[in-house]
Amino acid sequence: MRVDVVSLFPEFVAQCAAFGVVGRAQERGLLSLHGWNPRDYAPGNYRRVDDRPFGGGPGMVMLIDPLHDAIEAARAADPREAKVVYLTPQGARLTQAKVRELAAHPRLILLCGRYEGVDERLIEAEVDEELSIGDYVLSGGELAAAVVVDAVARLQEGALNDAESAAQDSFEHGLLDCPHYTRPVEHPLGHVPEVLLSGNHAEIARWRRMESLGRTWLRRPDLLDEQALGKADRALLDAFRARYLQ
Ligand SMILES: c1cc(-c2cnc[nH]2)ccn1
């Protein structure tokens, strides 16, 4: 998968993608990352990339042409069609389902705005999809782009080892992950649940599923609403609730 990042700070996203699973995906050739700086396409000595907003008001707006030319240079760098995604608080919320959809594309071009944002005419002409990673304002789209790069890299075939895939699976199924424990068994902060020490893999799997269901019910009931729980899961959740409410 190829990802091109259009940003005034392209090295920002490259640095975020240099570690761990994402860095390894790049080393394995599963993901290639390329940066394009609109300032390189801005004319004149000042290489202007922004200007004052029409209608007045605070801040600056990114100019159409440097962004347009950077996006077109990115498109031209590879023959495959690219999906252009603009990272903005005004976008649709990024979900794991959306990540899976993005990860299936051979190419993405991630457009990162700074200042007050981007001239709307550029968005209308070049952007396929606007995405938000949450209802808050960042200093620019780069952190959100790094989130997208990380999430789609993990879904590339061969990016994760077995343990990492298992961890990935927990959220993939729309539930929150169960608690995890490691040595020591006894610690001033508490003990490890007995079932995890039992060696009874069926009981351990049952406990983990119950905890995932229970945590989702307590912390993210909205996710649970989207789940069509089977009879076994409903029984597990009832058991969790009974224990929690006693
Ligand atoms: C995506 C982008 C942004 C953002 C872009 N520029 C300032 N904030 C915030 C949340 N999700």
Side-chain angles (χ1 to χ4, degrees), residues 30 56-57 68 87 96-97 123 125 134 150 173 179 188 190-191 206 215 240 242:
L30 304 174
H68 173 273
L87 289 311
Q96 192 62 26
I123 298 171
D150 188 290
H173 297 144
H191 64 277
R206 180 181 179 278
R215 269 185 164 192
F240 182 95

Side-chain angles (χ1 to χ4, degrees), residues 5-11 35-42 49 66 70:
V5 178
V6 176
S7 163
L8 291 173
F9 307 105
E11 66 281 4
W36 303 84
N37 191 334
R39 196 173 299 281
D40 296 337
Y41 299 87
V49 293

Side-chain angles (χ1 to χ4, degrees), residues 80-123:
R80 295 169 294 177
E81 187 175 350
K83 184 186 188 68
V84 179
V85 175
Y86 176 43
L87 289 311
T88 169
Q90 283 69 47
R93 177 65 68 87
L94 183 69
T95 63
Q96 192 62 26
K98 175 58 69 179
V99 168
R100 280 194 293 271
E101 182 190 314
L102 295 174
H105 285 270
R107 286 194 70 193
L108 295 177
I109 295 177
L110 303 182
L111 173 60
C112 303
R114 284 267 155 173
Y115 314 117
E116 298 311 303
V118 168
D119 190 301
E120 191 67 18
R121 291 166 290 182
L122 184 280
I123 298 171

Side-chain angles (χ1 to χ4, degrees), residues 87-89 113-115 131-142 144:
L87 289 311
T88 169
R114 284 267 155 173
Y115 314 117
L131 290 179
S132 167
I133 62 168
D135 294 333
Y136 36 77
V137 180
L138 302 169
S139 304
E142 287 80 6

